[in-house]
Amino acid sequence: MDISERIRYVGVNDLDKVLFESQWPLKYGISYNSYLVVDEKIALIDTVDIAFKKEFYENIRSAIGERTIDYLVVNHMEPDHSALISFIRSEYPNIEIVMNPKAVPMINGFQGITDNITAVKDGDELNLGHTTLRFYAIPMVHWPETMVTYCVEEKTAFSGDAFGSFGSVMNCITDTSCDTYEKYQDEIIRYYSNIVGKFGQPVQNALKKLSSLELKRICPTHGPVWETHLKEVVALYDKMSRYETEKGVCIVYGSMYGNTEKAALSLADELKSRGVKYAIHNLSFENPSYAYEDVFKYSIIAAGAPTYNNDIFPPVRHFLYGVCSRFVRNHSFFSFGSYSWAGGSVKLMDEMMAAHGFCILTEGLAFKQGYRKEECDMGAVADLIKQS
Ligand code: FEO
């Protein structure tokens, strides 16, 4: 597909993979986007997942026929975009690889490639004839070697994973060709919160560095090309990387015998009756991916966990560890849970989250063995949340 007169889409859609990075469910598949910039010289921007070698090559041949590719620009060395570099070199033996200096040892480490590499610094340019590619390092969005390639004449940023989304782009590669923003919004947030969410400050640095560029479109490595909704997507990234949320509660819980679950459902009912937005996730059965998404939407985390082996019930501990490791800021926290036979999980959760900068909304509520409302009054907690 032609994105413009000079830019062709040669990416692929993966509808088979169940877990991205062997962790994150793909409800609507995922795309691995790759682009050709065609002028007197031709540049290929990134490759695709190893499973799509044949389809990728057919897309390239369909776009440029017998012409050769002069440059392969590698914006990111993670294998979902770099795995076919060796294959592309075998088909186009004179191709020059263009990458950030930090990617040079990685391409050797992943694929043993050490020659025909040009390392580019911030602001370096590559001339394709009448088209100029300019390179900007955006370290830690979300690997150290990540960079953006800016096509000056097309006012187009090839952004790597930044501004990417889960979800395939079958028949809908640009948001101009079909109105995709609403459809993809949740999956942009889930992609960000799962993959990039730890790196809020590097994203802020990247947004600042790129803010002076005139942009007509953003071409990420996953999800739609943003043209019509470009400003909304940039604003959403700015908001998420500042950990700015709307008032609401992400309730997460685990429950062995249903007592902590009763408390979680009671909190949900009390919030609902007060008109407070919330989402609820049973982490014993749900992939935490969706709860991380809601952490980046809502300002409060309420976590319910029974005490298990004198510790926090493991699925909830795992999730809270993931929240802390994402350096989530500007959030409040509330804990609750069944005492089980020894107690302790509520205190441990409060200590863990306080140590990571969370504002503890109120002391956690533990109930001995079975759930009893008088020991764990979620109405009072919902009042507190409503007023906060
Ligand atoms: Fe889509 Fe960080 O790779």
Side-chain angles (χ1 to χ4, degrees):
M1 173 182 168
D2 291 352
I3 304 286
S4 72
E5 198 178 324
R6 302 177 232 217
I7 301 173
R8 317 264 165 85
Y9 181 86
V10 290
V12 298
N13 289 293
D14 187 346
L15 301 176
D16 297 326
K17 193 184 289 290
V18 176
L19 292 176
F20 186 66
E21 294 185 343
S22 299
Q23 299 182 78
W24 316 117
L26 295 172
K27 282 197 292 188
Y28 313 110
I30 191 164
S31 68
Y32 310 108
N33 299 339
S34 171
Y35 307 89
L36 286 164
V37 183
V38 180
D39 199 334
E40 290 167 8
K41 303 270 188 181
I42 294 179
L44 175 65
I45 316 284
D46 295 311
T47 71
V48 304
D49 187 86
I50 192 119
F52 294 88
K53 180 165 79 175
K54 183 169 179 287
E55 185 179 337
F56 182 47
Y57 187 56
E58 285 170 357
N59 289 350
I60 291 171
R61 295 283 288 195
S62 169
I64 58 170
E66 299 290 325
R67 287 191 65 183
T68 194
I69 301 175
D70 301 280
Y71 301 102
L72 169 55
V73 176
V74 177
N75 282 325
H76 182 24
M77 268 306 296
E78 194 160 11
D80 52 332
H81 311 294
S82 69
L84 290 178
I85 292 175
S86 292
F87 167 70
I88 289 295
R89 268 167 53 105
S90 70
E91 294 298 325
Y92 303 95
N94 296 320
I95 200 166
E96 184 73 12
I97 295 170
V98 179
M99 59 186 2
N100 182 283
K102 289 178 183 165
V104 174
M106 290 185 182
I107 199 171
N108 186 14
F110 275 119
Q111 300 191 31
I113 295 172
T114 56
D115 60 331
N116 290 1
I117 295 172
T118 299
V120 286
K121 303 186 303 297
D122 239 25
D124 281 357
E125 292 187 345
L126 180 66
N127 192 286
L128 302 179
H130 302 94
T131 313
T132 311
L133 300 180
R134 191 187 299 150
F135 308 101
Y136 295 93
I138 54 164
M140 299 318 303
V141 182
H142 61 123
W143 277 25
E145 84 297 357
T146 39
M147 69 176 190
V148 163
T149 298
Y150 179 64
C151 181
V152 177
E153 293 76 10
E154 291 283 342
K155 301 181 175 59
T156 295
F158 299 97
S159 61
D161 284 344
F163 310 107
S165 170
F166 291 132
S168 72
V169 292
M170 304 286 287
N171 307 315
C172 195
I173 293 167
T174 72
D175 71 339
T176 307
S177 61
C178 51
D179 195 4
T180 54
Y181 185 64
E182 290 296 322
K183 178 181 159 196
Y184 282 89
Q185 195 172 15
D186 283 348
E187 289 294 79
I188 298 170
I189 298 171
R190 193 165 69 91
Y191 181 87
Y192 178 88
S193 59
N194 285 246
I195 310 293
V196 187
K198 182 183 176 83
F199 304 104
Q201 188 55 52
V203 172
Q204 281 288 304
N205 297 343
L207 289 172
K208 191 174 173 191
K209 183 183 275 192
L210 303 176
S211 62
S212 62
L213 297 181
E214 197 178 342
L215 282 178
K216 186 174 169 189
R217 70 174 66 82
I218 293 175
C219 295
T221 43
H222 301 289
V225 169
W226 301 112
E227 295 174 333
T228 307
H229 297 282
L230 185 152
K231 283 188 179 153
E232 287 106 305
V233 173
V234 172
L236 179 60
Y237 251 66
D238 182 37
K239 183 179 168 190
M240 292 189 295
S241 56
R242 285 185 284 106
Y243 300 93
E244 190 181 289
T245 51
E246 65 174 311
K247 183 167 175 177
V249 185
C250 173
I251 306 171
V252 295
Y253 70 95
S255 188
M256 288 185 285
Y257 301 105
N259 292 299
T260 301
E261 181 166 57
K262 283 179 189 164
L265 296 176
S266 171
L267 176 59
D269 283 346
E270 298 288 358
L271 291 171
K272 188 176 182 182
S273 71
R274 287 161 180 78
V276 178
K277 286 187 181 178
Y278 71 92
I280 185 164
H281 302 278
N282 182 340
L283 295 174
S284 289
F285 297 97
E286 245 186 82
N287 185 288
S289 169
Y290 301 99
Y292 290 132
E293 175 190 336
D294 285 322
V295 167
F296 280 78
K297 284 183 180 172
Y298 295 131
S299 56
I300 298 168
I301 300 172
T307 304
Y308 189 84
N309 289 346
N310 296 324
D311 203 343
I312 303 166
F313 188 59
V316 179
R317 173 177 273 289
H318 175 75
F319 170 76
L320 294 178
Y321 174 79
V323 170
C324 294
S325 71
R326 282 165 172 75
F327 303 125
V328 171
R329 302 193 308 264
N330 308 328
H331 280 60
S332 298
F333 181 75
F334 164 67
S335 67
F336 59 94
S338 170
Y339 194 92
S340 188
W341 52 261
S345 69
V346 162
K347 182 168 177 283
L348 287 169
M349 285 192 281
D350 285 355
E351 286 173 357
M352 178 180 182
M353 302 312 278
H356 285 85
F358 281 74
C359 169
I360 304 301
L361 195 66
T362 183
E363 191 177 340
L365 296 179
F367 42 92
K368 285 184 179 157
Q369 289 84 48
Y371 169 71
R372 280 176 296 280
K373 188 174 178 182
E374 56 274 21
E375 281 183 281
C376 188
D377 183 359
M378 292 303 190
V381 175
D383 282 339
L384 195 59
I385 289 170
K386 173 90 176 169
Q387 290 156 14
S388 67

